[in-house]
């Protein structure tokens, strides 16, 4: 038990120490600290490493002085100075430095080495050790103790013994990757003598995991792998490529594969590291879910036990009531039957009534006999009648007390959990973002309804902020008005009933408009053709229909078409800023044009006299927007896109080359137009996902109006803005 406790203690200590291992490594030698000293910049460094840094600084200064005096002399540097020489040089330099400080009148040589300043390997800044140098630094006793505890924990947990020591073996300090063995210091020096080939062997810290120096092909054991098969995703040798299983596969060089995979792995690791806060948040959420699961599970067991106890109590009460009823009925019946038995026993000879009557017959006195004989005769007559129609005073059967529990058995056998709260689902058909956001959701019809809901939403951007905004409501919809323009938002919802909550719904992403919503209605005055167009009472829907003049003019039409576009505009114009509006086109519409136009161009279109009954009328004489196709090189004060046959035809553009097929896209159910008056640009959008389908320049002069044109049958519906009329509604409505 004592040994087990000690192992657990060591294991726990090792787990704690391992988490701070990066803090125990010297930034200079990349090994565990040995006699760490605290530099003026508050970083730590080994005592030996600091001496080496001072020596290198002194050597560089000496080399500069030597090269200045003898430029042609060769420069000799010692790459592995001994600790004794370092100490000697440091002491001599310190003495020279102190002597130089004593000589007040002497001038300091500009090339005199200054060894009290070094570059800290931790922060890479120059730090001045002061006049005393190393002697003026404090030992980090606390860090030294932590390192020693780490060493002890590491040795206790993973002690690797020397493979070459005579018993008893010493703990190894190195492992040779070429010898595939572990050595202590003495054995390593003996087996890797200086100046031999073994001295060049690669060695690492003590380990039991030896890997081959070169990876060999498993199929061709004498061949090294030098290529990477991109199909099989594994290293291969040249024989595998020449005639093996990878002959027809695409391969690449090992260096290219190394670089590619290293970049991918680096990116993946960097991404995971950058998501550390997200992982911590999700871990916290999982811990909360675990606690909630444990708590809710125990509560569910308590509720189930309570419900079964209620059933037990009800059954016990009913059992007591039934038992009492049966017992009372039995007692009453027995009492009646016993009384009847006594009565019938009196009819026997010499018993009861018969015996009494026989004694009365012995009376000889007439008056006395007559006095009691009459009443006695009546009693005997009743007894005779009862004999003729015998009926027991009570029935022995208890059929009326039989309990039919078949239905109850079925009900008890079908005892199950009640309808649980189901995860709500956001209704994408009813949810939309326009001037505000209206988010609607629903629950499965076979589930319990929640008492309240919490709608969560957050903005999606490059930073991917994980902070969710929460809004509580008792209804199945919510209107939000604080969303930023031209942004993506993620939404999810969960329901509550008492202390129970549903899982979060699936997340949905909606995009806000690129600019503030421009609200307007159709203008029923300026250029409005009442014969061809029909507005509804709200003036947000216009429908094209055949007029009387068109039908009369059609009598003379034999070849071609002599009709024109009927224009209608918004009742509000734009003179500055950036604006967005949306609408929908009926799928049966024959030809519709949508866009923007200036008031100058609209006067030309709307006030030009037209006579559709005349064959001389030219439909392209300014009323058709084909002019923007033929003269797209210059900016026009209008832009109209054509819609028809359930297709959207993008206008031509001088700076975009595309085929006719590329200009035709399926008609979105909702179309949006964004006009930037100040920049002179207009964009056409799929308003369902707020995706820009096409953008071009437009000459914004005067007042720009939303412009629409219809030919033949068709209808346009302006998008209804989300106002107070769209308040939250409950699922009970």
């Amino acid at each position: 038990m004592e040994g087990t406790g000690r192992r657990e203690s060591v294991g726990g200590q090792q787990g704690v120490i391992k988490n701070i291992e990066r803090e125990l490594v010297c930034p200079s030698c990349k090994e565990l600290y040995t006699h760490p000293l605290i530099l003026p910049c508050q970083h730590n460094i080994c005592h030996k490493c600091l001496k080496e840094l001072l020596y290198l600084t002194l050597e560089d200064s000496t080399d500069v002085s030597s090269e200045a005096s003898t430029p042609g002399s060769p420069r000799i540097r010692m790459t592995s100075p001994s600790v004794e020489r370092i100490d000697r040089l440091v002491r001599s330099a310190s003495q020279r430095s102190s002597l130089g400080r004593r000589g007040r009148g002497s001038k300091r040589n500009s090339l005199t080495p200054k060894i009290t300043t070094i570059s800290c390997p931790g922060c890479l800044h120059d730090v001045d050790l002061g006049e005393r140098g190393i002697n003026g630094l404090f030992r980090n006793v606390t860090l030294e103790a932590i390192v020693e505890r780490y060493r002890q924990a590491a040795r206790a947990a993973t002690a690797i013994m020397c493979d070459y020591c005579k018993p008893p073996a010493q703990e190894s300090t190195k492992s040779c990757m070429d010898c595939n063995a572990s050595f202590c210091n003495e054995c390593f020096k003996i087996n890797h003598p200086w100046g031999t080939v073994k001295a060049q062997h690669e060695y690492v810290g003590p380990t039991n995991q030896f890997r081959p120096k070169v990876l060999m092909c498993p199929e061709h054991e004498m061949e090294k792998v030098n290529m990477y098969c991109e199909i099989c995703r594994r290293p291969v040798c040249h024989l595998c490529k020449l005639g093996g299983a990878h002959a027809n596969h695409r391969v690449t060089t090992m260096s290219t594969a190394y670089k590619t995979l290293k970049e991918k792995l680096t990116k993946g690791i960097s991404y995971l590291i950058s998501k550390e806060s997200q992982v911590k948040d999700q871990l916290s959420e999982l811990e909360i879910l675990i606690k909630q699961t444990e708590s809710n599970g125990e509560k569910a067991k308590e509720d189930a036990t309570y419900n079964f106890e209620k059933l037990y109590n009800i059954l016990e009460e009913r059992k007591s009531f039934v038992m009492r009823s049966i017992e009372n009925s039995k007692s009453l019946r027995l009492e009646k039957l016993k009384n009847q038995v006594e009565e019938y026993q009196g009819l026997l000879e010499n018993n009861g009534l018969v015996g009494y009557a026989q004694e009365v017959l012995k009376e000889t006195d007439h008056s006395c006999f007559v006095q009691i004989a009459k009443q006695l005769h009546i009693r005997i007559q009743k007894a005779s009648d009862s004999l003729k129609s015998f009926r027991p005073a009570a029935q022995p059967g208890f059929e009326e007390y039989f309990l039919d529990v078949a239905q109850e058995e079925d009900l008890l056998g079908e005892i199950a959990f009640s309808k649980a709260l189901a995860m709500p689902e956001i209704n994408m058909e009813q949810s939309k973002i326009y001037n505000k956001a209206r988010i609607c959701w629903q629950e499965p019809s076979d589930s319990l309804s929640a008492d309240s809901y919490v709608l969560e939403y957050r903005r999606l951007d490059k930073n991917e902020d994980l902070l969710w905004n929460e809004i509580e409501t008792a209804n199945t919809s919510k209107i939000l008005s604080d969303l930023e323009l031209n942004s993506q938002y993620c939404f999810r919802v969960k329901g509550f009933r008492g202390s129970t909550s549903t899982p979060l719904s699936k997340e949905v992403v909606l995009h806000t408009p690129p600019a503030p919503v421009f609200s307007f209605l159709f203008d029923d005055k300026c250029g409005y053709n009442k014969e061809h167009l029909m507005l509804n009472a709200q003036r947000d829907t216009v429908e094209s229909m055949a007029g009387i003049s068109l039908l009369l003019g059609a009598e003379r039409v034999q070849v071609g078409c002599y009709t024109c576009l009927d224009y209608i505009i918004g009742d509000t114009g734009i003179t500055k800023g950036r604006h967005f509006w949306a609408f929908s086109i009926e799928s049966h519409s024959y030809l519709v044009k949508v866009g923007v136009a200036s008031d100058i161009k609209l006067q030309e279109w709307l006030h030009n006299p037209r006579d559709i009954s005349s064959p001389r009328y030219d439909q392209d004489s300014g009323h058709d927007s084909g002019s923007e196709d033929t003269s797209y090189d210059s900016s026009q004060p209008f832009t109209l896109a054509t819609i028809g046959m359930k297709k959207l035809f993008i206008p031509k553009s001088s700076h975009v080359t595309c085929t006719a097929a590329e200009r035709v896209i399926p008609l979105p159910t909702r179309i949006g137009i964004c006009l930037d008056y100040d920049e002179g640009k207009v964009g056409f959008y799929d308003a369902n996902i707020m995706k820009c389908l096409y953008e071009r320049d437009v000459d914004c002069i005067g007042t720009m109006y939303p412009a629409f044109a219809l030919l033949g049958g068709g209808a346009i519906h302006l998008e209804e803005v989300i106002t107070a009329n769209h308040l939250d509604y409950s699922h009970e409505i």
Side-chain angles (χ1 to χ4, degrees):
M1 293 298 290
E2 183 179 353
T4 303
R6 182 160 56 260
R7 286 195 298 271
E8 291 177 354
S9 176
V10 170
Q13 183 182 12
Q14 183 189 11
V16 174
I17 295 293
K18 187 175 181 181
N19 294 331
I20 61 171
E21 184 176 359
R22 68 182 66 180
E23 303 294 333
L24 309 181
V25 176
C26 174
S28 180
C29 63
K30 307 301 182 184
E31 295 181 356
L32 293 177
Y33 284 110
T34 304
H35 306 304
L37 302 175
I38 304 176
L39 296 174
C41 61
Q42 300 304 310
H43 289 105
N44 298 286
I45 188 170
C46 293
H47 184 271
K48 181 184 67 173
C49 296
L50 181 55
K51 286 186 175 182
E52 291 180 356
L53 287 176
L54 287 171
Y55 168 76
L56 294 176
T57 304
L58 175 62
E59 186 185 25
D60 290 339
S61 301
T62 305
D63 287 342
V64 171
S65 177
S66 301
E67 290 177 1
S69 59
T70 56
S73 62
R75 184 179 181 181
I76 302 174
R77 300 191 59 175
M78 296 179 63
T79 58
S80 301
S82 64
V83 176
E84 292 79 7
R85 184 178 179 186
I86 292 174
D87 290 335
R88 187 170 61 254
L89 288 172
V90 171
R91 283 196 301 271
S92 61
S94 300
Q95 292 173 0
R96 289 197 300 271
S97 178
S98 61
L99 290 174
R101 286 192 298 272
R102 294 195 192 101
R104 295 182 180 179
S106 62
K107 293 183 178 180
R108 180 168 183 166
N109 193 327
S110 61
L111 297 178
T112 300
K114 183 181 180 182
I115 63 169
T116 59
T117 300
I118 64 168
S119 177
C120 174
C123 61
L124 303 180
H125 289 95
D126 291 338
V127 292
D128 189 359
L129 302 182
E131 295 181 356
R132 299 188 60 192
I134 294 180
N135 297 329
L137 300 179
F138 286 99
R139 285 178 60 184
N140 195 335
V141 180
T142 303
L143 177 59
E144 201 169 0
I146 295 175
V147 171
E148 183 58 26
R149 289 200 300 270
Y150 175 81
R151 293 181 189 275
Q152 293 176 358
R155 283 195 296 267
T158 57
I160 299 176
M161 311 308 293
C162 176
D163 295 327
Y164 283 78
C165 276
K166 294 180 180 179
Q170 300 293 321
E171 289 187 11
S172 62
T173 58
K174 300 179 181 65
S175 293
C176 180
M177 304 305 293
D178 295 274
C179 300
N180 289 346
S182 298
F183 299 87
C184 64
N185 286 332
E186 294 299 327
C187 293
F188 186 82
K189 293 178 181 179
I190 295 173
N191 290 275
H192 299 80
W194 186 257
T196 63
V197 177
K198 286 189 175 182
Q200 305 299 323
H201 283 189
E202 178 187 0
Y203 65 91
V204 295
T207 181
N208 289 323
Q209 304 296 327
F210 297 98
R211 65 178 184 181
K213 295 286 291 183
V214 180
L215 192 62
M216 308 300 290
C217 178
E219 297 183 9
H220 310 92
E221 297 180 356
M222 302 303 295
E223 297 295 330
K224 301 177 182 178
V225 293
N226 53 7
M227 290 179 287
Y228 182 79
C229 178
E230 296 182 355
I231 304 299
C232 301
R233 298 181 179 179
R234 57 173 296 178
V236 296
C237 69
H238 70 283
L239 293 180
C240 294
K241 174 60 179 173
L242 290 177
H246 308 272
N248 298 321
H249 291 182
R250 184 173 66 254
V251 298
T252 184
T253 62
M254 192 63 70
S255 60
T256 303
Y258 170 81
K259 182 179 179 181
T260 302
L261 294 175
K262 188 173 183 179
E263 289 178 355
K264 291 181 178 179
L265 185 59
T266 302
K267 290 181 180 178
I269 294 174
S270 300
Y271 177 80
L272 291 178
I273 294 175
S274 66
K275 299 297 181 183
E276 184 175 357
S277 60
Q278 179 179 351
V279 173
K280 290 181 179 179
D281 291 340
Q282 292 175 350
L283 284 174
S284 300
E285 185 176 351
L286 289 174
E287 291 176 358
I288 293 174
L289 290 177
I290 290 174
K291 293 180 180 179
Q292 290 179 346
T293 301
E294 293 176 350
S295 175
N296 293 337
E298 292 300 322
K299 186 176 183 303
K301 290 170 61 177
E302 292 176 1
D303 292 343
T305 303
Y306 173 74
N307 289 328
F308 276 106
E309 290 294 340
K310 285 200 304 183
L311 291 177
Y312 296 153
N313 294 334
I314 292 174
L315 288 175
E316 287 295 335
E317 291 178 2
R318 297 302 298 172
K319 177 182 177 182
S320 299
F321 172 76
V322 170
M323 293 299 103
R324 287 196 304 270
S325 300
I326 295 176
E327 185 65 27
N328 293 336
S329 178
K330 183 185 74 170
S331 300
L332 181 61
R333 295 185 188 190
L334 289 176
E335 183 179 0
K336 290 181 178 180
L337 290 174
K338 288 179 180 180
N339 292 334
Q340 190 176 17
V341 167
E342 292 178 359
E343 181 180 351
Y344 272 77
Q345 284 180 348
L347 300 181
L348 297 177
E349 185 177 2
N350 300 323
N351 287 325
L353 179 62
V354 175
Y356 174 67
Q358 289 176 345
E359 291 299 326
V360 171
L361 289 175
K362 295 178 181 180
E363 179 62 49
T364 57
D365 189 311
H366 291 186
S367 58
C368 292
F369 178 82
V370 172
Q371 182 182 2
I372 61 174
K374 183 60 178 178
Q375 185 64 29
L376 183 61
H377 180 267
I378 294 173
R379 291 179 61 190
I380 291 177
Q381 187 66 38
K382 288 182 178 179
S384 300
D385 294 339
S386 65
L387 290 176
K388 295 179 182 178
S389 57
F390 173 75
R391 180 177 298 174
Q395 298 296 327
F398 284 80
E399 290 80 4
E400 64 271 24
Y401 289 94
F402 175 74
L403 293 178
D404 184 7
V405 295
Q407 184 177 359
E408 286 73 12
E409 286 180 358
D410 294 339
L411 292 176
L412 290 174
E414 294 177 358
I415 288 181
F417 302 110
S418 62
K419 293 181 180 179
L421 287 174
M423 178 180 67
E425 181 180 359
I426 295 180
N427 190 329
M428 293 299 294
E429 294 182 357
Q430 297 181 3
S431 301
K432 74 171 184 176
I433 294 183
Y434 194 40
N435 61 317
K436 298 179 182 179
R438 182 176 71 235
I439 310 301
C440 305
W441 56 89
Q442 59 192 15
E443 298 170 326
S445 57
D446 57 346
S447 67
L448 287 176
S449 297
D451 297 330
S452 61
Y453 304 89
V454 171
L455 175 64
E456 300 182 359
Y457 67 98
R458 66 182 175 93
R459 182 185 176 189
L460 299 179
D461 53 16
K462 294 182 180 179
N463 297 328
E464 295 189 9
D465 185 12
L466 296 178
L467 181 62
W468 289 85
N469 301 292
E470 295 184 354
I471 296 181
E472 186 175 356
T473 178
N475 306 314
T476 56
S477 73
K478 191 66 181 178
I479 293 179
L480 306 174
S481 57
D482 58 346
L483 305 184
E484 297 185 21
L485 295 173
N486 199 23
S487 302
Q488 281 187 320
Y489 281 86
C490 186
F491 299 89
R492 64 186 186 184
V493 66
K494 61 180 177 180
F496 289 87
R497 188 181 182 92
S499 60
T500 306
S501 64
T502 69
L504 285 166
S505 67
K506 294 182 180 179
E507 298 179 1
V508 299
V509 177
L510 297 176
H511 203 294
T512 57
V517 171
F518 180 62
S519 180
F520 65 91
L521 299 174
F522 287 118
D523 195 337
D524 58 352
K525 297 180 177 60
C526 183
Y528 173 59
N529 190 343
K530 296 182 179 179
E531 293 185 356
H532 295 173
L533 301 178
M534 181 174 65
L535 281 172
N536 65 346
Q538 293 77 25
R539 291 195 293 127
D540 58 359
T541 298
V542 61
E543 185 177 359
S544 176
M545 58 184 179
I548 299 297
S549 58
L550 175 62
L551 297 176
L552 292 176
E555 296 178 353
R556 287 172 287 176
V557 176
Q558 300 298 330
V559 179
C561 179
Y562 302 95
T563 61
C564 65
L565 291 166
D566 293 299
Y567 286 88
I568 189 168
I569 63 174
D571 60 355
T572 307
I574 299 172
T575 56
K576 63 178 180 179
R578 184 177 169 89
H579 304 273
F580 177 84
W581 60 92
F583 51 89
S584 59
I585 307 293
E586 288 289 347
S587 59
H588 67 269
S589 300
Y590 176 67
L591 191 153
V592 177
K593 293 209 170 189
V594 297
V596 295
S598 68
D599 52 355
I600 299 175
K601 193 65 179 178
L602 288 172
Q603 289 178 5
E604 177 186 342
W605 288 345
L606 301 177
H607 298 288
N608 190 37
R610 295 171 290 175
D611 183 8
I612 63 172
S613 62
S614 173
R616 297 178 60 187
Y617 175 73
D618 182 8
Q619 68 175 25
D620 291 332
S621 60
H623 297 80
D624 186 17
S625 62
S627 55
E628 79 266 21
D629 292 344
T630 58
S631 57
Y632 55 77
D633 291 328
S634 60
S635 181
Q636 298 288 331
F638 67 94
T639 293
L640 295 175
T642 303
I643 296 172
M645 300 176 64
K646 300 181 182 179
K647 298 290 189 298
L648 173 63
F649 299 83
I650 297 176
K652 291 181 181 179
S653 177
S654 58
H655 58 277
V656 178
T657 58
C658 58
T659 62
E662 293 174 341
R663 292 176 53 207
V664 181
I665 61 175
L667 177 65
T669 56
R670 296 169 60 215
I671 303 172
I673 295 179
C674 181
L675 174 64
D676 192 334
Y677 188 96
D678 301 329
E679 295 293 332
K681 292 185 179 296
V682 61
F684 296 85
Y685 284 74
D686 181 346
N688 294 316
I689 57 177
M690 296 300 172
K691 177 184 177 182
C692 184
L693 305 174
Y694 169 75
E695 186 180 60
R696 69 171 296 168
D697 296 333
V698 62
D699 187 9
C700 295
I701 57 174
T703 304
M704 303 296 291
Y705 287 88
F708 306 86
L710 298 95
L711 175 64
I716 303 173
H717 307 280
L718 296 180
E719 186 79 9
E720 186 178 5
V721 296
I722 302 175
T723 62
N725 295 330
H726 295 96
L727 292 177
D728 303 346
Y729 57 89
S730 172
H731 54 77
E732 296 177 356
I733 296 181

